[in-house]
């Protein structure tokens, strides 16, 4: 009779557990507490972090656009316009600057932004005159430039 | 892969390269290969036919050819800012090796990691950064009007 149980219990589990753990722990080194050192704690937190990173990529786009809109609204408010009026008037003048650029202009180029606000205000007034059918010459900024 | 856990850097050029004359950032390139093994066949082909053209095209780069006993043929690139890059040329054809070496010649020695912003500027504001009193009337303006009227 051959006793096989002891021989079957001894298994070679693999030579590179250390390195596989290190590959994961390198993503946890900036965490706080034992989860930056201990594999079992780190694996859970790292998976969480990766999930949040994936979701955050979609949220970042939304958050950035919201931030730009807030900044444009603040800049336009300084010149007596609301955000919606500013944006729609610029669109009607075929000024196709996006919100990122407008927000950057409001911060770094305040005089340019003031000119844009003045343009929007002028176009708005021309729109009102056109609606009320005043006996005035047609607006300069209301003329739509033909795209070639 | 989170942004905090992986390395990243800002967009930059080494010492404003390209502002004046463009300087090739590759200073030294070392080809280590074996004289007899099958994996070095492409490298040997490259060394016989293409390496001299490369050296003539890049006059500022020193090319070292080092045949030695090795299993894995490698190319080591050293750059002017101290960075090094090692690429294994295992079983690559001469054309693929030429592509790899051209890529290394066109790179600077900066790390190939995520670039945080695709732009960089030393002077972001020309008209002056916004400050709370930029769009407000000056307290002195009635006195300026008075002074202009007096003129």
């Amino acid at each position: 009779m051959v006793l096989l149980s002891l021989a079957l219990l001894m298994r070679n589990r693999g030579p590179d557990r250390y390195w596989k753990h290190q590959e994961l722990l390198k993503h946890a080194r900036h965490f706080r507490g034992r989860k930056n050192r201990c594999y079992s704690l780190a694996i859970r937190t790292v998976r969480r972090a990766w999930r949040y990173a994936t979701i955050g990529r979609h949220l970042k786009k939304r958050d950035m656009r919201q931030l730009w809109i807030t900044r444009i609204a603040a800049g336009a408010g300084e010149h007596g316009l609301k955000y919606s009026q500013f944006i729609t008037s610029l669109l009607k003048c075929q000024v196709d600057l996006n919100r990122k650029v407008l927000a950057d202009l409001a911060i770094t180029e305040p005089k340019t932004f003031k000119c844009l606000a003045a343009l929007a205000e002028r176009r708005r007034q021309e729109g009102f005159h056109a609606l009320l059918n005043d006996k005035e010459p047609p607006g300069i900024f209301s003329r739509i430039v033909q795209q070639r | 892969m989170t942004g905090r856990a992986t390395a990243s850097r800002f967009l930059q050029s080494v010492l404003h390269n390209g502002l004046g004359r463009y300087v090739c950032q590759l200073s030294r390139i070392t080809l280590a290969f074996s004289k007899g093994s099958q994996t070095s066949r492409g490298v040997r082909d490259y060394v016989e036919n293409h390496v001299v053209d490369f050296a003539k095209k890049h006059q500022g780069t020193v090319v070292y050819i080092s045949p030695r006993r090795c299993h894995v043929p490698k190319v080591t690139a050293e750059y002017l800012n101290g960075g090094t890059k090692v690429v294994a040329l295992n079983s690559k054809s001469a054309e693929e090796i030429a592509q790899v070496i051209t890529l290394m010649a066109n790179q600077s020695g900066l790390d190939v990691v995520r670039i945080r912003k695709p732009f960089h500027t030393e002077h972001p504001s020309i008209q002056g950064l916004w400050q709370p009193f930029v769009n407000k009337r000056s307290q002195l303006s009635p006195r300026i009007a008075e002074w202009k009227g007096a003129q």
Side-chain angles (χ1 to χ4, degrees):
Chain A
M1 192 171 94
V2 188
L3 292 165
L4 289 171
S5 327
L6 214 61
L8 287 168
L9 278 172
M10 292 193 296
R11 297 178 296 154
N12 185 359
R13 299 276 296 281
D16 40 21
R17 185 190 315 158
Y18 171 78
W19 290 281
K20 288 184 179 171
H21 286 188
Q22 288 304 308
E23 260 199 27
L24 189 107
L25 283 170
K26 77 177 182 236
H27 290 105
R29 287 304 179 200
H30 62 286
F31 292 167
R32 204 193 218 195
R34 264 196 289 170
K35 48 190 191 286
N36 64 23
R37 296 185 288 282
C38 308
Y39 179 75
S40 328
L41 304 172
I43 182 81
R44 296 175 222 157
T45 319
V46 167
R47 280 180 185 153
R48 207 148 212 252
W50 285 349
R51 208 184 319 136
Y52 287 150
T54 310
I55 298 164
R57 266 177 252 137
H58 305 292
L59 291 178
K60 181 176 176 181
K61 296 164 179 56
R62 286 185 229 168
D63 292 341
M64 292 305 287
R65 187 168 162 120
Q66 215 175 32
L67 178 67
W68 297 329
I69 289 172
T70 312
R71 289 181 174 173
I72 295 168
E78 275 198 330
H79 296 108
L81 275 171
K82 288 191 183 166
Y83 167 81
S84 47
Q85 298 162 354
F86 181 65
I87 292 287
T88 50
S89 304
L90 280 188
L91 273 180
K92 287 174 187 169
C93 295
Q94 290 184 310
V95 173
D96 290 321
L97 295 171
N98 61 2
R99 282 142 187 88
K100 173 170 138 187
V101 166
L102 285 171
D104 286 339
L105 285 177
I107 296 168
T108 57
E109 258 47 82
K111 293 181 191 163
T112 309
F113 194 81
K114 185 175 180 180
C115 294
L116 285 170
L119 175 68
E121 180 60 43
R122 173 63 190 262
R123 176 66 183 80
R124 205 160 156 253
Q125 296 307 323
E126 284 177 11
F128 290 150
H129 286 143
L131 272 178
L132 299 169
N133 289 327
D134 280 339
K135 296 284 165 55
E136 302 245 345
I140 306 166
F141 295 115
S142 314
R143 281 183 230 158
I144 302 296
V145 177
Q146 295 303 325
Q147 305 277 356
R148 284 193 204 165
Chain B
M1 312 297 144
T2 40
R4 281 272 180 96
T6 30
S8 60
R9 64 174 175 93
F10 285 94
L11 181 70
Q12 58 180 144
S13 62
V14 179
L15 291 179
H16 302 291
N17 195 20
L19 198 64
R21 182 177 145 256
Y22 170 74
V23 176
C24 181
Q25 292 293 309
L26 186 64
S27 68
R28 193 186 307 152
I29 194 156
T30 312
L31 277 162
F33 61 103
S34 164
K35 279 197 241 181
S37 84
Q38 294 144 324
T39 48
S40 306
R41 188 167 144 233
V43 188
R44 270 178 266 132
D45 185 4
Y46 181 80
V47 163
E48 279 162 26
N49 303 324
H50 301 102
V51 81
V52 181
D53 300 327
F54 172 82
K56 280 188 185 155
K57 199 172 161 199
H58 298 87
Q59 300 272 342
T61 308
V62 185
V63 181
Y64 286 97
I65 309 292
S66 132
R68 56 172 100 139
R69 294 248 202 95
C70 60
H71 287 290
V72 173
K74 294 195 196 87
V75 58
T76 313
E78 283 164 74
Y79 292 93
L80 291 176
N81 69 343
T84 46
K85 198 166 177 224
V86 181
V87 177
L89 304 172
N90 245 336
S91 312
K92 282 197 161 72
S93 69
E95 287 82 30
E96 290 168 6
I97 293 170
Q99 271 180 358
V100 167
I101 291 187
T102 326
L103 174 69
M104 293 172 115
N106 291 334
Q107 283 176 337
S108 68
L110 299 164
D111 315 324
V112 181
V113 289
R114 178 181 67 100
I115 295 182
R116 292 192 184 205
K117 297 185 199 184
F119 42 81
H120 173 78
T121 168
E122 305 277 339
H123 310 283
S125 174
I126 296 175
Q127 295 168 0
L129 280 174
W130 180 89
Q131 291 175 16
F133 48 80
V134 153
N135 285 320
K136 289 197 166 43
R137 295 182 62 84
S138 161
Q139 280 180 337
L140 301 171
S141 54
R143 298 184 61 185
I144 289 175
E146 183 189 303
W147 173 75
K148 279 187 179 170
Q151 270 198 314

